[in-house]
Amino acid sequence: MKGCLMWLHSQPLFILDMFNLRSIQIDMKTETAWVETGATLGEVYYIIDEKSKIHAFQVGVWSTVGVGGHISGGGYGNMMRKYGLWVDNVVDALMVDVEGKLFDRKSMGEDLFWAITGGGEASFGVVLAYKIKLVWVPKTVIVFRVLKTLEQNSTDIVYNWHHFAPTINNNLFITLVLNVTQNGIKTIRETFVALFLGDSKSLVSLLNDKFSQLGLKQSDCIETSWLGSVLFSKNTNITALVEVFLNRQPQSVNYLKRKYHYVKKSISKEGLEGIWRKMIELVDTSLNFNPYGGRMAKIPSTTSHFPHRAGNLWKIQYLANWNKPGKEVANHYINLTRKLHKYMTHFVSKNPRGAFFNYRDLHLWSNNCNGKNSYAKGKVYGVKYFKDNFNRLVQIRTKVDPDNFFIVEQSIPMLSYHKLLE
């Protein structure tokens, strides 16, 4: 672990490089693993697969993402309806506090453990490793990708997906990707991408009964391993060598902007048609709908920092990607996501208008966590990320880091300059 000193907002900051803390130790007897926070998700996938073809972990699909950031911000993956989030499957941690003392879950106490499993560990100390529970998966799973356009009655299909996806069998996760395509005329393309922890015959029967509008056929279903399903979700050939997961460098350099919303009420067909028109107007931005329900609706909102649980039908991700450097190009794509994000105000959660902490959105507000307005500034984004859990995180931060050492642009603020209202 190495560090460098830099300046931000006229304050000296020490940045830790966790890149080489990448040990992964699996205990198949207890079905757990200690994973150092500098490891990548791909390395975790690979090591688990080496040990067992029927175990996995509830993680995202981008293999070069680091474990520490993914866990500490409430990372999710295609099995969240079955097993919840990554933070719901963490059982222990090793953390160094501001005084350099090493703690595990027992010695740090449940309050601090609760905070670092999703509340953003950078506000509380340096997490060296997490102990995770492995989950069961079939040796063979099913994936599919079905494409529709507006000319194929897709508004009705999307409307029915909205009602179906959060309530169906927990073994099925169908995400919906919306983007604009141009083949003579601009239209909306809907891509339904699924992971099913079962067999193809059961899946086709289930969808023909509950979601026949999709028109899923046996030939659409692809049998693969759970590891292969991760490759499929990231548009990589499922026959690729599994060693691809050990590549710690992204395949290409892309620039991106992400924003999030949560949705509690289904969108009408008229509302969907308005969204199509707005997307066609903007062109270079996309929407991802990730269904909730299942295990996500069963875990209380106070179990971890992550509060967006029961009552949410799906999470919307606003996406823009580009591959050319430059401030002017970046501003163009960033503004597209902001315009679409603003347009969706009527359809999404309110009071607060929720956001996802793992995709830090500095447009919500930033805070250097100093001065008398620190709490008030931090609350602007903190309540969107953490809802009613925000004040508990503030109290824990104030206790474990009284000198305000661990600060980033969206830190959990201190109470030093503000009296918390009971």
Side-chain angles (χ1 to χ4, degrees), residues 81 163-173 206-207 210 294:
R81 300 189 65 253
H163 293 82
F164 159 84
T167 60
I168 197 60
N169 188 299
N170 294 354
N171 289 318
L172 177 59
F173 183 87
L206 175 65
L207 289 184
K210 301 293 185 180

Side-chain angles (χ1 to χ4, degrees), residues 174-190:
I174 306 180
T175 190
L176 169 60
V177 182
L178 304 171
N179 65 291
V180 178
T181 63
Q182 301 186 58
N183 186 15
I185 61 171
K186 297 177 184 178
T187 188
I188 299 293
R189 179 175 62 192
E190 292 95 6

Side-chain angles (χ1 to χ4, degrees), residues 91-102:
V91 295
D92 206 342
L94 294 177
M95 191 200 83
V96 176
D97 74 355
V98 69
E99 297 180 354
K101 296 177 181 178
L102 180 65

Side-chain angles (χ1 to χ4, degrees), residues 123-316:
S123 292
F124 303 96
V126 180
V127 177
L128 304 179
Y130 286 105
K131 186 179 183 180
I132 60 175
K133 293 187 300 183
L134 305 184
V135 300
W136 286 80
V137 293
K139 192 171 184 179
T140 300
V141 302
I142 304 299
V143 293
F144 70 75
R145 183 177 285 110
V146 174
L147 278 64
K148 301 289 184 180
T149 65
L150 292 182
E151 294 72 30
Q152 297 172 299
N153 201 30
S154 62
T155 299
D156 286 341
I157 296 174
V158 172
Y159 179 79
N160 289 321
W161 175 90
H162 281 174
H163 293 82
F164 159 84
T167 60
I168 197 60
N169 188 299
N170 294 354
N171 289 318
L172 177 59
F173 183 87
I174 306 180
T175 190
L176 169 60
V177 182
L178 304 171
N179 65 291
V180 178
T181 63
Q182 301 186 58
N183 186 15
I185 61 171
K186 297 177 184 178
T187 188
I188 299 293
R189 179 175 62 192
E190 292 95 6
T191 306
F192 298 86
V193 185
L195 167 66
F196 181 60
L197 303 176
D199 61 88
S200 59
K201 184 177 179 180
S202 298
L203 175 58
V204 172
S205 175
L206 175 65
L207 289 184
N208 284 342
D209 179 44
K210 301 293 185 180
F211 191 34
S212 59
Q213 297 88 351
L214 186 63
L216 184 72
K217 303 183 294 292
Q218 192 81 30
S219 59
D220 296 320
C221 301
I222 301 172
E223 292 187 353
T224 186
S225 64
W226 176 79
L227 202 63
S229 77
V230 178
L231 292 171
F232 183 84
S233 294
K234 58 183 290 190
N235 292 317
T236 302
N237 192 324
I238 62 173
T239 62
L241 295 176
V242 294
E243 283 73 16
V244 69
F245 289 107
L246 299 181
N247 187 350
R248 291 167 66 85
Q249 299 296 328
Q251 297 294 312
S252 60
V253 177
N254 293 306
Y255 304 91
L256 57 88
K257 173 62 180 176
R258 301 290 188 267
K259 294 174 79 70
Y260 269 91
H261 270 147
Y262 296 91
V263 179
K264 296 180 178 294
K265 296 181 179 180
S266 62
I267 302 174
S268 68
K269 293 180 183 180
E270 292 76 15
L272 291 173
E273 289 168 353
I275 295 171
W276 309 156
R277 289 191 292 271
K278 189 65 178 180
M279 291 185 67
I280 289 172
E281 172 193 329
L282 299 174
V283 180
D284 294 323
T285 188
S286 304
L287 292 179
N288 278 12
F289 288 78
N290 294 306
Y292 269 41
R295 180 73 175 143
M296 289 297 294
K298 301 296 183 183
I299 300 173
S301 61
T302 55
T303 297
S304 74
H305 88 288
F306 190 88
H308 308 288
R309 304 282 189 171
N312 289 299
L313 298 176
W314 2 277
K315 174 167 58 181
I316 299 179

